[in-house]
Amino acid sequence: PMYVMHVSEFLKQEGRPRPHQDLLADNKLHKIEDKDRHNIATSPIIFLSHQWLGASCPDTDLRQIGILQRVLQRMAAGDVPD
């Protein structure tokens, strides 16, 4: 399965990134399985990956998440160069 979070929900995130299990428990993540793939065929999914900057926290200075949130906000506003 793949777990996804709606962009609008991601943009609400503040502070240190929360663990997957916490987001799942709070219904912030949605599970997509192979049988669901026809339902998401028209919905874009953005896959993100980043380097962990610390041993116990992926973004110790909250730089990466802030940059990503700003880029996603610009994309949503149509303000991204070709």
Side-chain angles (χ1 to χ4, degrees):
M2 174 173 60
Y3 290 89
V4 297
M5 176 187 287
H6 197 275
V7 170
S8 62
E9 189 63 47
F10 180 77
L11 293 175
K12 294 178 192 175
Q13 303 296 306
E14 296 179 348
R16 291 182 181 260
R18 297 178 58 210
H20 178 270
Q21 61 271 20
D22 293 352
L23 293 168
L24 190 58
D26 289 343
N27 294 316
K28 304 295 183 190
L29 300 179
H30 306 280
K31 183 178 180 181
I32 298 176
E33 298 190 55
D34 283 343
K35 63 182 178 63
D36 301 321
R37 68 181 178 271
H38 63 281
N39 293 332
I40 62 165
T42 59
S43 299
I45 294 176
I46 302 169
F47 176 81
L48 303 169
S49 179
H50 65 87
Q51 179 181 1
W52 274 53
L53 299 178
S56 62
C57 180
D59 192 5
T60 53
D61 297 327
L62 304 178
R63 287 180 289 157
Q64 293 186 78
I65 197 167
I67 291 168
L68 179 55
Q69 286 173 323
R70 286 191 299 278
V71 168
L72 292 172
Q73 287 168 336
R74 288 183 63 193
M75 288 174 68
D79 183 25
V80 178
D82 293 337

